[in-house]
Amino acid sequence: MKLNEYRKKRHFDATPEPRGASDIREKEKGSLIYVVQKHLASHLHYDFRLEWRGVLLSWAVPKGPSLDPAVKRLAMQTEDHPIEYSGFEGVIPAGQYGAGVVMLWDRGTWQPESADVDASLQKGEIKFVLHGTKLQGSWVLVRTRGFGKNPLRSAWLLI
Ligand code: MN
């Protein structure tokens, strides 16, 4: 169900991107995947993804994450991606959704710092720790007010 939008946007006979398993399995134990993909699409951006409830919650960060805690980076929420996407690198052909080169930029695990992740996501403020190669330490994603009224296209800040 959660991957409907992801699949609707793509033609899997034309893109090398994974379709994702038909059944979404939530992890009961173990670490949660974190990944950032550099995406040279019509506009270069960084896709920031956190595994949650069997999918990758996803945000497109035009300028990429900043290591400066004083810098807030716009992060537009995008459709949930399949877990299999966390290993994806390749070229999405011209004419396809997101056409361009996708490269793994960072990968590791993440830990929520909020006790109730679902409530935090709903509320629009989630704190977490990243254990990546490039990114580590405490981060927060905060949903902004004002623009991005569509809940699937809401604007957040990555700090
Ligand atoms: Mn992208």
Side-chain angles (χ1 to χ4, degrees):
M1 281 295 274
K2 292 175 87 182
L3 295 174
N4 282 355
E5 194 188 349
Y6 172 85
R7 290 182 180 138
K8 216 161 46 181
K9 286 174 185 281
R10 291 168 176 82
H11 302 282
F12 295 101
D13 49 354
T15 179
E17 294 166 289
R19 192 175 191 283
S22 49
D23 56 331
I24 291 173
R25 287 188 195 178
E26 281 186 43
K27 215 175 258 176
E28 281 165 31
K29 274 190 174 150
S31 41
L32 296 161
I33 296 167
Y34 142 73
V35 65
V36 178
Q37 280 145 325
K38 188 174 179 180
H39 189 177
L40 292 94
S42 49
H43 297 277
L44 167 71
H45 60 273
Y46 295 77
D47 288 301
F48 186 91
R49 311 191 199 278
L50 299 175
E51 176 184 4
W52 186 245
R53 296 203 178 281
V55 296
L56 298 173
L57 305 178
S58 298
W59 289 263
V61 185
K63 291 185 177 174
S66 170
L67 293 175
D68 181 348
V71 174
K72 302 171 169 71
R73 287 284 160 82
L74 177 67
M76 297 300 293
Q77 191 164 18
T78 60
E79 73 276 16
D80 295 344
H81 279 49
I83 292 296
E84 292 85 345
Y85 211 95
S86 64
F88 176 71
E89 283 192 304
V91 179
I92 302 170
Q96 300 303 308
Y97 180 74
V101 178
V102 177
M103 290 178 285
L104 287 168
W105 185 82
D106 195 21
R107 190 147 69 142
T109 62
W110 75 285
Q111 281 176 312
E113 285 194 304
S114 321
D116 188 337
V117 174
D118 293 307
S120 301
L121 288 166
Q122 191 84 31
K123 196 176 139 232
E125 180 168 347
I126 178 150
K127 295 190 172 112
F128 50 91
V129 175
L130 294 180
H131 305 284
T133 304
K134 289 197 173 83
L135 302 186
Q136 278 142 16
S138 284
W139 294 75
V140 60
L141 271 163
V142 189
R143 193 167 53 223
T144 64
R145 292 159 185 272
F147 79 105
K149 290 279 165 59
N150 177 347
L152 281 169
R153 285 284 170 275
S154 54
W156 296 62
L157 295 170
L158 176 65
I159 308 162

